[in-house]
Amino acid sequence: MPLHQVTSWDDVYTSPLSERPLPKHRLPDSPAEPRAVYDLVSSELLLDGNAAQNLATFCTTWSDEETHRLMDLCLGKNMIDKDEYPQTAEIESRCVHILADLWNCPGGAGTTGCSTTGSSEAAMLGGLALKWRWRHRRQEDGKPTDRPNLVCGPVQVCWEKFARYFDVELRRVPLERDATGLRPHQLRDYVDENTIGVVAILGVTYTCDFEPVAGLAEELDAIHAETGLDVPIHVDAASGGFVAPFVRPDLLWDFRLERVASINASGHKYGLAPLGVGWVVWRSADLLPKELIFDVSYLGGRMPTFALNFSRPGGEIVAQYYTMLRLGREGYRRVQQACLDTARFLAGQIAKMGPFELLYDGRDALPAVSYTLAGPDPGFTLYDLSEQLRTRGWQVPSYPLPPDRQETVVQRVLIRHGIGRDEVSLLAEDIRRCLDRLRRGGGAEP
């Protein structure tokens, strides 16, 4: 009869680490068994919301197995060290050139751009280039450079940060009563000789439609002809930069407009890359002032860098390139069109429910739906509806529009890759149930 050795085994929840709350303010004195730490930390993470039901975020929440494997291969690669990781640097360069081509950049091989940690950093880099070029012009003309301003509509908070951090007056144009973004005829009251640029948004955060970039450019052309003020446009295409080229290829918003100097986009939104990558591209190399580029000696090599941070992982860049190769133009078109079709389906369901007025129905811009309460007071608010939907795990944001429409509270649902028609059908059913509950006075169902 063979002898069997019995190996001692401790259950995770009988281990010393589980006998007290996990340390929160001080390192533990002794090491712990890796599996026990993993299981206990992963149990805490169950308290987070389900990312697939987070209909507030623009960010990628679904990735295929190959993306996970490539990210693992790059876990230790610091993309700033181009001497040590030259192929990752080459892949970054390829992505910049692919995006420049996608956005109809006339620069060809002379395209200038870089990756960032996201569209917020990319937007700030674009803003810095605007400020430096404006300052150069003012210095050449012997004029003061102490009062730069940036004109925009309902921008994301990153532009408020840019203005505060880099000492620029942010001139936010109020919304007109029937508008959800900046309109061309409003520009004349806000641009002047101190305006470093106008920010046009391709995918307004609040409502998800596109601002009329071509119309804004045409108005700035007219202002230039009449006053001599030559004001460039930076397009904040954080979300729309990976949508419009595939589903609205004839829409003029990119470098086909000569007044567009730079574009930023978020790879980890509708670019379908994992969290942590953004992009900024300039129309031509001369539009990025050389003073902003640092030539640094690092780990045995010299390299140019333009960024707000230094060390960061290379995996997201490699994953972006992988996604570009895997999908191609037709693949991106299918994904974004499927998301748009699902958004329009949801808009149709919302329109039938009664108490809502659609502000954006998922057509011609981002795959999303935004709406407000219409008609007489139904006895509840959209904030109440958001709270009720959370009981089923749905995260659907409610918030007021920017000035001068702050009295209008809206609700927004984003449709991303990984959110299918079936899931949205379940959401619509839950909205109906929540509306019935709210009409009866709220509270839990028996």
Side-chain angles (χ1 to χ4, degrees):
M1 180 177 180
L3 297 175
H4 297 278
Q5 183 177 1
V6 178
T7 303
S8 63
W9 176 79
D10 289 329
D11 183 87
V12 169
Y13 296 97
T14 62
S15 67
L17 191 64
S18 71
E19 294 176 350
R20 60 185 63 86
L22 294 179
K24 298 178 178 62
H25 304 291
R26 182 177 180 273
L27 274 175
D29 294 325
S30 304
E33 201 276 321
R35 198 197 67 172
V37 176
Y38 174 87
D39 285 349
L40 291 172
V41 172
S42 64
S43 293
E44 280 203 3
L45 292 176
L46 294 175
L47 298 174
D48 281 340
N50 177 8
Q53 288 185 287
N54 183 1
L55 304 179
T57 182
F58 290 86
C59 298
T60 299
T61 56
W62 180 90
S63 296
D64 58 21
E65 181 61 29
E66 288 76 13
T67 297
H68 286 267
R69 287 159 58 190
L70 283 170
M71 293 286 284
D72 284 344
L73 289 176
C74 298
L75 199 60
K77 293 186 178 182
N78 181 2
M79 63 77 53
I80 200 65
D81 188 2
K82 295 176 173 59
D83 184 66
E84 185 68 24
Y85 306 112
Q87 202 56 36
T88 300
E90 164 63 20
I91 287 174
E92 178 191 25
S93 177
R94 293 176 188 175
C95 288
V96 167
H97 283 83
I98 288 172
L99 288 174
D101 176 73
L102 186 66
W103 298 335
N104 296 290
C105 183
T111 292
T112 295
C114 62
S115 67
T116 62
T117 54
S119 53
S120 292
E121 182 187 2
M124 291 189 192
L125 298 185
L128 282 172
L130 292 176
K131 181 180 178 180
W132 253 247
R133 293 203 312 275
W134 169 83
R135 188 165 63 182
H136 285 172
R137 294 193 300 270
R138 300 284 289 177
Q139 289 172 339
E140 290 172 356
D141 294 340
K143 296 180 179 179
T145 62
D146 59 335
R147 298 178 62 187
N149 68 70
L150 182 69
V151 175
C152 63
V155 292
Q156 203 259 1
V157 69
C158 71
W159 289 104
E160 297 180 40
K161 291 182 178 180
F162 166 78
R164 187 178 302 178
Y165 295 166
F166 298 107
D167 198 20
V168 174
E169 176 194 356
L170 191 67
R171 294 186 174 178
R172 298 186 66 167
V173 180
L175 290 177
E176 294 186 335
R177 306 306 298 175
D178 59 345
T180 56
L182 179 63
R183 293 296 177 258
H185 66 268
Q186 296 178 289
L187 290 175
R188 289 177 182 267
D189 294 333
Y190 291 88
V191 300
D192 58 26
E193 63 178 5
N194 291 316
T195 301
I196 66 174
V198 169
V199 176
I201 312 171
L202 201 73
V204 177
T205 301
Y206 300 92
T207 53
C208 299
D209 49 356
F210 293 163
E211 289 186 335
V213 185
L216 296 172
E218 183 178 358
E219 183 68 11
L220 289 173
D221 287 342
I223 292 173
H224 183 206
E226 295 172 18
T227 68
L229 295 176
D230 191 5
V231 180
I233 289 177
H234 173 89
V235 180
D236 185 348
S239 300
F242 279 95
V243 175
F246 305 111
V247 297
R248 296 197 64 189
D250 296 330
L251 179 67
L252 289 178
W253 67 273
D254 54 19
F255 292 120
R256 287 170 291 182
L257 301 170
E258 291 187 12
R259 197 156 291 277
V260 172
S262 49
I263 299 172
N264 74 272
S266 179
H268 62 228
K269 292 179 181 174
Y270 288 101
L272 309 182
L275 278 164
V277 62
W279 303 95
V280 58
V281 177
W282 284 268
R283 181 182 188 83
S284 57
D286 61 297
L287 295 179
L288 175 56
K290 294 181 180 179
E291 302 96 308
L292 292 173
I293 303 172
F294 285 81
D295 188 38
V296 298
S297 177
Y298 183 62
L299 297 180
R302 297 193 67 82
M303 67 201 75
T305 178
F306 180 34
L308 298 182
N309 55 35
F310 201 62
S311 297
R312 56 190 175 90
E316 291 85 352
I317 295 167
V318 174
Q320 179 78 83
Y321 185 56
Y322 159 77
T323 304
M324 289 174 168
L325 295 184
R326 181 176 70 85
L327 292 177
R329 285 178 179 259
E330 177 59 18
Y332 267 106
R333 188 198 66 78
R334 289 182 182 181
V335 168
Q336 310 301 25
Q337 188 60 57
C339 290
L340 280 169
D341 292 343
T342 298
R344 291 168 186 167
F345 167 79
L346 177 61
Q349 297 295 306
I350 293 291
K352 297 175 184 177
M353 293 182 191
F356 302 119
E357 174 190 348
L358 286 169
L359 296 179
Y360 171 64
D361 62 0
R363 297 179 184 274
D364 301 326
L366 297 184
V369 180
S370 59
Y371 46 90
T372 187
L373 286 173
D377 183 4
F380 58 88
T381 68
L382 288 177
Y383 299 109
D384 295 326
L385 178 57
S386 290
E387 188 66 24
Q388 287 289 329
L389 287 171
R390 275 188 174 271
T391 66
R392 288 281 289 171
W394 301 109
Q395 299 173 60
V396 180
S398 298
Y399 46 82
L401 289 177
D404 282 339
R405 296 191 65 185
Q406 64 269 19
E407 76 284 354
T408 300
V409 176
V410 303
Q411 200 164 81
R412 184 197 69 198
V413 176
L414 291 169
I415 307 299
R416 306 179 306 277
H417 189 210
I419 297 177
R421 191 69 58 90
D422 181 66
E423 186 175 359
V424 167
S425 297
L426 295 174
L427 169 66
E429 292 175 9
D430 282 338
I431 292 176
R432 291 188 185 93
R433 277 194 288 266
C434 290
L435 287 175
D436 290 341
R437 192 179 307 163
L438 289 167
R439 287 170 177 139
R440 297 195 304 269
E445 290 183 334

